[in-house]
Amino acid sequence: MQAEYRFRHKHILGLAQMTADDILHVINTARSFKEISARPIKKVPTLRGKTIINFFFEPSTRTRLSFEVAAKRMSADTFNISASTSSATKGETLIDTARNLQAMAPDVIIIRHSSSGAPQLLAKNVDAAIINAGDGTHEHPSQGLLDIMTILEHKGSLEGLKIAIVGDIAHSRVAGSDIIGFNRLGANVHLAGPATFMPADADQLGVTVCEDVRDAVRDADVVMALRIQKERQKDPLIPSLREYSTFYGINNKMLQLAKDDVVVMHPGPINRGVEMSPDVADGKRSVILEQVTNGVAVRMALLYLVMGGEKTDDEQGGR
């Protein structure tokens, strides 16, 4: 007799920790929460009395607000801390800051940090559940989950889909999570971008690397464009934005190579006219705003699961 599935992760540190069943369970849970956002009164008491801290060391609009909206729609108490207002500006270490926060007994700490591995470090040093809202160039798991949810709503399954990811792969934590999640669910992932934007270990990621972006987009079911992560580049890695747009920008002419029902995605923020033309961003194949809507539902699901699921994930620093 097959054992009943149970979600066993205390922390959400990356999609690398999740099986295909875990991913689908999060998304099915998110679907059950999505209708709350369509109600006249967008509030349920699910997490009443729980304390959630948004601890963001990098600028963010969509992710921070999405987590805050998700928490408040579930009646949790939320508090926002940025690097500029934390004691980190006085030289306090990340662990000491987190331990001081832990002394105030939060239930969940959501962290975004410029250093890869920061959420994992916190998970080993505090009792609160840790949710990774983006760490360096490593992962952005909630974005990966909402991207999968959006594709499933349009395609029904990822099995056998050709998904093209175009842009700054090497510096994108979104790409890190998407590649793992898409592969877990059976998609065929094709990467395209300047050689300077490709990770050194791309051939070990279970993807197809295309030198010509047209090869990636041709017959694609999904095309995702990524922002150039200039804040994570020490030196300019491309001659100019104009040249990048000419050779790698997703426009309507480029989309003609994809399938007629192609889905166009972008994790935001969009640099219009660079990685994507305005007519594509606002076109009928674009699901960019649906990604934002699904982001709230996915983050509601993650908060619910780390609060109510089995918390025995020792490999992820659980206690």
Side-chain angles (χ1 to χ4, degrees), residues 93-299:
T93 68
L94 176 62
I95 292 177
D96 283 339
T97 301
R99 284 174 174 168
N100 276 276
L101 293 177
Q102 180 62 54
M104 302 176 196
D107 297 287
V108 183
I109 298 176
I110 300 162
I111 181 170
R112 167 169 286 192
H113 203 281
S114 59
S115 296
S116 299
Q120 288 80 353
L121 182 65
L122 259 60
K124 294 176 181 179
N125 286 277
V126 300
D127 293 326
I130 302 298
I131 297 180
N132 179 6
D135 63 324
T137 59
H138 176 229
E139 278 213 51
H140 192 345
S142 61
Q143 181 70 44
L145 289 164
L146 73 89
D147 289 342
I148 292 170
M149 181 176 177
T150 305
I151 294 172
L152 287 173
E153 287 182 341
H154 285 267
K155 301 296 184 179
S157 170
L158 270 72
E159 185 70 39
L161 292 186
K162 180 179 180 180
I163 302 180
I165 304 178
V166 180
D168 188 359
I169 313 294
H171 301 93
S172 173
R173 50 197 172 206
V174 173
S177 289
D178 277 348
I179 289 169
I180 294 169
F182 295 166
N183 281 340
R184 287 272 198 280
L185 297 183
N188 300 312
V189 181
H190 290 62
L191 308 182
T196 50
F197 283 176
M198 283 295 144
D201 62 346
D203 59 343
Q204 302 175 33
L205 299 176
V207 302
T208 300
V209 178
C210 302
E211 293 185 5
D212 190 328
V213 67
R214 292 171 293 186
D215 293 333
V217 174
R218 187 174 288 110
D219 296 323
D221 299 282
V222 179
V223 174
M224 175 177 289
L226 298 176
R227 181 176 63 87
I228 299 172
Q229 309 280 321
K230 290 186 288 186
E231 70 275 15
R232 300 192 188 108
Q233 301 173 15
K234 294 181 180 179
D235 299 303
L237 298 179
I238 54 174
S240 68
L241 294 180
R242 181 188 295 273
E243 181 172 309
Y244 179 88
S245 177
T246 299
F247 289 101
Y248 297 100
I250 304 301
N251 52 40
N252 277 324
K253 182 179 179 181
M254 181 73 71
L255 277 187
Q256 290 176 6
L257 297 170
K259 290 184 178 177
D260 291 340
D261 62 347
V262 65
V263 170
V264 177
M265 308 179 75
H266 194 298
I270 303 172
N271 292 310
R272 290 172 178 261
V274 180
E275 64 260 12
M276 184 178 289
S277 63
D279 52 353
V280 169
D282 301 325
K284 64 180 181 179
R285 304 312 313 169
S286 172
V287 297
I288 294 170
L289 294 181
E290 293 177 38
Q291 290 174 263
V292 177
T293 298
N294 286 338
V296 174
V298 161
R299 285 154 184 145

Side-chain angles (χ1 to χ4, degrees), residues 54-57 80-90 92 97:
N54 282 317
F55 194 16
F56 277 59
F57 279 78
N80 295 312
I81 302 174
S82 65
S84 61
T85 59
S86 76
S87 292
T89 59
K90 303 175 183 178
E92 186 173 63
T97 301

